[in-house]
Amino acid sequence: MPQSNLTDAPAFQALIQHFAEAKEWQMRTLFSQQSDRFNRFSIETAGLLLDYSKNRLNEKTMDLLFQLARECDLESKRSAMFSGEKINTTENRAVLHTALRLPRGASLVVDGQDVVPEVHAVLDHIKAFSDRVRSGQWTGCTGQAITDIVNIGIGGSDLGPEMTCRALRPFVHPRLTMHFVSNVDGHDLDAVLAKVPSESTLFIIASKTFTTRETMMNAQSARSWFLQAHAEPDLPRHFVAVSTNTEAVRSFGIDTENMFPFWDWVGGRYSVWSAIGLPLALAIGFEGFSEFLAGAHAMDQHFQTAPLEKNMPVILGLIGIWYRNFFGSSSLSIAPYHQDLSQFPAYLQQLDMESNGKRVTAAGQPVSTATCPIVWGDVGTNGQHAYFQLLHQGTDVTPVDFIAALKAAHDLEGHHMVLLANCFAQSEAFMRGKTAEEVRVEMRAQQIPDEKIESLLPHRVFPGNRPSNTILMDKLAPSTLGALIALYEHKTFVQGVIWGINSFDQWGVELGKVLAKNIEAELTGAAHPDAHDGSTNGLIARAKISLSE
Ligand code: G6Q
């Protein structure tokens, strides 16, 4: 039932009623009443386990949430995405990152054309190129094998390759060092150029449009830097491009033979599976990249075929709806207990907040409920020594997603057990909290006088009942990373469908691409003292004083 207002959906109304009761529940009680709660509220697929038992919900909550998903036509909207319907209506585009992970031989016809052969033609090109670079057959202009790869891109053309290359660090070719430059702030490029030898560095200019100001400026500066030491005909051995804009790539001086294309139906934040993933293929090899795609494809198949009740991305998405729209949680913390996933929270921040940070429905009407929460986080155990204070004892209830790998990729003794123990202990502490009586017993055992105990008591009590999910994998490898990213992509899709928004445009980001142009001209050229508000005029005038010194 496509309702005009989400709040009018019968299941939404039933959830409001149900929440009046559920908000009083204590998870400690739920666990003591249901000894098999872990079995009831956990699911395993595509190499990932999701334990969602430490949440303020029961079977009825989930049933109502599944009903809500059905009333929002989740199943038909899911089919529409997978079959290539133009669900990104404001840009009139299909949304087909899932087609990038289809195996060779599959078929998906969009606008009368099967896209799978094109996808695999680009993958073949990526394979041939990455094999040559990794084997040392592709050399720089002095005949040296490539030692350093610099990806220049921003947003979706940076976060995916950088996050995945970092996540799969143990799989990276030992001769290759990966670098990522995104910020127009010259300190970013300058720091990388200071480290890399021009004769053995390969630059990848990654931009879907090949017009993004930051990327083009960094690319031009990298080109000038290169030409200080080498000649123009040497450029093609050191600069390749990933783009949809052949003309702009050619006029930059890149041989279009070394251009890796993708398509308008691949959104920036969903593009790591396309040629935008070239740095990852170079770093871990094409076989590893194929496993990464296969991991995501396994999650796609699960999402596409499993009933809602046994569907991991659906469950994860609906739990998020429960906290956002009923408990009023305005943020979601991502806590990977894995150093190599240090960029994963930032990656999810873009995926989720750029997709679902919307205030009107796909039909252009104001939404009737809150939409995307703020997504943030950092690796454990580091976060425990910083902002976890607020998560334990602050005034807001912030749901947390814990992510951990059961096996480590190092053999340093003891570390991994300590890491895992901390991960599990934190989710337990969020759930249980610590009652006044438990604090008293603990302090008495430490021989602390009663008077002192009572004065410290309010500070040492933990309310608990704070929800979390835990996602476990055997080890962080190309296939599990692929499945993990796809899990969150589909979770984002599920929530976008419930909120009735277009998760695949980004007009707020487009605005940023044009806003600075006028001010840039004013900073470097003639001032227009009255062009802006008083504050902006004042800042421009003050900057010009320093810039002219
Ligand atoms: C992603 C966004 C945005 C985009 C960048 C880079 O979904 O649209 O982050 O990826 O602005 O754009 P180009 O690849 O066109 O340079």
Side-chain angles (χ1 to χ4, degrees):
M1 184 211 72
Q3 70 284 336
S4 50
N5 268 339
L6 173 59
T7 47
D8 294 338
F12 196 93
Q13 288 299 320
L15 278 159
I16 292 175
Q17 302 286 323
H18 177 67
F19 175 69
E21 177 196 331
K23 68 177 188 224
E24 307 297 341
W25 295 344
Q26 290 293 319
M27 280 191 276
R28 276 190 189 220
T29 319
L30 298 180
F31 272 97
S32 64
Q33 286 167 347
Q34 273 182 330
S35 56
D36 61 345
R37 199 170 154 82
F38 175 83
N39 291 334
R40 285 172 191 255
F41 299 107
S42 64
I43 175 170
E44 202 158 353
T45 192
L48 303 181
L49 167 92
L50 167 66
D51 168 22
Y52 59 103
S53 60
K54 289 194 187 93
N55 279 297
R56 293 164 73 171
L57 51 80
N58 68 6
E59 275 88 355
K60 178 160 182 212
T61 320
M62 293 311 298
D63 284 349
L64 289 172
L65 288 165
F66 293 129
Q67 193 185 319
L68 181 67
R70 292 203 166 88
E71 287 173 12
C72 293
D73 288 338
L74 175 61
E75 286 146 313
S76 62
K77 289 187 173 156
R78 177 182 61 184
S79 305
M81 175 173 75
F82 276 97
S83 63
E85 278 181 40
K86 294 192 172 157
I87 61 169
N88 176 359
T89 46
T90 60
E91 295 180 306
N92 194 31
R93 287 177 182 166
V95 173
L96 276 176
H97 44 282
T98 52
L100 300 167
R101 340 201 266 209
L102 283 173
R104 198 184 293 275
S107 162
L108 181 65
V109 177
V110 178
D111 287 339
Q113 200 171 344
D114 188 352
V115 298
V116 181
E118 288 180 63
V119 165
H120 280 269
V122 176
L123 285 172
D124 289 343
H125 191 187
I126 292 175
K127 178 181 180 340
F129 181 70
S130 56
D131 283 353
R132 289 180 73 195
V133 171
R134 288 166 59 84
S135 69
Q137 214 190 333
W138 176 286
T139 60
C141 55
T142 62
Q144 260 200 56
I146 298 298
T147 57
D148 292 79
I149 294 172
V150 182
N151 189 75
I152 296 181
I154 195 164
S157 301
D158 165 73
L159 281 160
E162 184 171 9
M163 182 277 284
T164 52
C165 284
R166 201 180 285 193
L168 299 173
R169 183 189 49 83
F171 300 83
V172 176
H173 192 292
R175 197 186 63 243
L176 297 175
T177 306
M178 310 301 295
H179 309 267
F180 295 85
V181 173
S182 53
N183 200 335
V184 73
D185 180 350
H187 296 106
D188 196 4
L189 179 63
D190 189 54
V192 170
L193 294 182
K195 284 192 286 213
V196 298
S198 60
E199 64 280 2
S200 60
T201 295
L202 177 73
F203 291 91
I204 301 172
I205 314 300
S207 175
K208 183 171 168 179
T209 53
F210 229 73
T211 56
T212 303
R213 185 83 174 104
E214 293 93 328
T215 301
M216 290 304 106
M217 194 164 208
N218 279 323
Q220 287 297 350
S221 299
R223 185 180 193 275
S224 306
W225 172 85
F226 179 82
L227 290 177
Q228 282 167 19
H230 307 282
E232 197 129 356
D234 296 332
L235 270 172
R237 302 207 67 76
H238 292 267
F239 283 79
V240 300
V242 179
S243 188
T244 55
N245 187 345
T246 314
E247 268 327 297
V249 168
R250 186 178 291 122
S251 64
F252 183 88
I254 290 175
D255 183 350
T256 48
E257 286 291 298
N258 302 324
M259 171 183 153
F260 299 82
F262 59 116
W263 307 272
D264 74 353
W265 41 260
V266 184
R269 55 196 172 277
Y270 298 90
S271 64
V272 68
W273 322 99
S274 71
I276 288 289
L278 180 64
L280 181 65
L282 285 160
I284 68 169
F286 189 76
E287 206 179 309
F289 190 67
S290 303
E291 287 166 19
F292 174 67
L293 298 180
H297 180 62
M299 185 57 75
D300 292 343
Q301 284 185 305
H302 166 78
F303 177 52
Q304 208 176 354
T305 58
L308 302 190
E309 288 74 8
K310 301 245 171 287
N311 196 310
M312 195 184 280
V314 173
I315 291 168
L316 198 59
L318 291 176
I319 291 173
I321 297 285
W322 180 228
Y323 291 118
R324 183 72 183 115
N325 295 133
F326 297 90
F327 286 85
S329 301
S330 57
S331 92
L332 167 69
S333 184
I334 306 293
Y337 274 61
H338 201 304
Q339 188 60 30
D340 293 339
L341 285 175
S342 59
Q343 269 216 321
F344 194 60
Y347 179 83
L348 287 192
Q349 204 167 59
Q350 180 190 34
L351 175 64
D352 221 353
M353 292 171 70
E354 199 173 334
S355 297
N356 288 341
K358 310 283 165 68
R359 46 177 281 286
V360 295
T361 64
Q365 299 301 316
V367 291
S368 60
T369 65
T371 60
C372 189
I374 291 163
V375 178
W376 60 284
D378 197 1
V379 288
T381 59
N382 297 9
Q384 288 174 214
H385 298 265
Y387 54 79
F388 269 43
Q389 165 61 37
L390 178 148
L391 300 180
H392 282 292
Q393 289 187 307
T395 48
D396 292 303
V397 173
T398 302
V400 183
D401 282 0
F402 290 94
I403 302 168
L406 295 171
K407 292 186 187 126
H410 61 78
D411 47 22
L412 294 170
E413 212 180 312
H415 287 251
H416 204 62
M417 290 309 124
V418 174
L419 180 77
L420 283 180
N422 271 280
C423 177
F424 299 164
Q426 287 295 325
S427 74
E428 184 178 30
F430 284 138
M431 186 275 284
R432 289 184 61 80
K434 202 185 270 184
T435 64
E437 206 31 52
E438 286 168 345
V439 176
R440 277 195 195 96
V441 169
E442 189 181 282
M443 291 176 87
R444 278 186 200 129
Q446 294 162 5
Q447 318 277 306
I448 297 172
D450 277 0
E451 201 180 308
K452 193 159 185 200
I453 292 178
E454 290 311 309
S455 75
L456 282 176
L457 205 61
H459 304 279
R460 297 189 60 162
V461 164
F462 290 73
N465 214 20
R466 301 202 165 196
S468 66
N469 295 306
T470 300
I471 297 168
L472 295 181
M473 63 196 92
D474 192 49
K475 57 180 189 231
L476 185 58
S479 63
T480 45
L481 181 65
L484 181 69
I485 301 171
L487 166 65
Y488 276 97
E489 285 179 348
H490 296 321
K491 174 216 142 167
T492 300
F493 174 80
V494 168
Q495 295 191 336
V497 167
I498 303 292
W499 289 320
I501 57 187
N502 178 357
S503 301
F504 300 103
D505 59 10
Q506 55 282 314
W507 297 103
V509 172
E510 307 303 333
L511 174 71
K513 292 191 180 186
V514 292
L515 269 184
K517 275 192 182 151
N518 292 343
I519 295 183
E520 188 188 321
E522 287 161 0
L523 280 172
T524 50
H528 297 282
D530 298 323
H532 309 275
D533 57 88
S535 163
T536 312
N537 286 331
L539 293 169
I540 294 171
R542 178 63 188 83
K544 282 182 84 85
I545 293 171
S546 281
L547 292 170
S548 65
E549 281 168 6

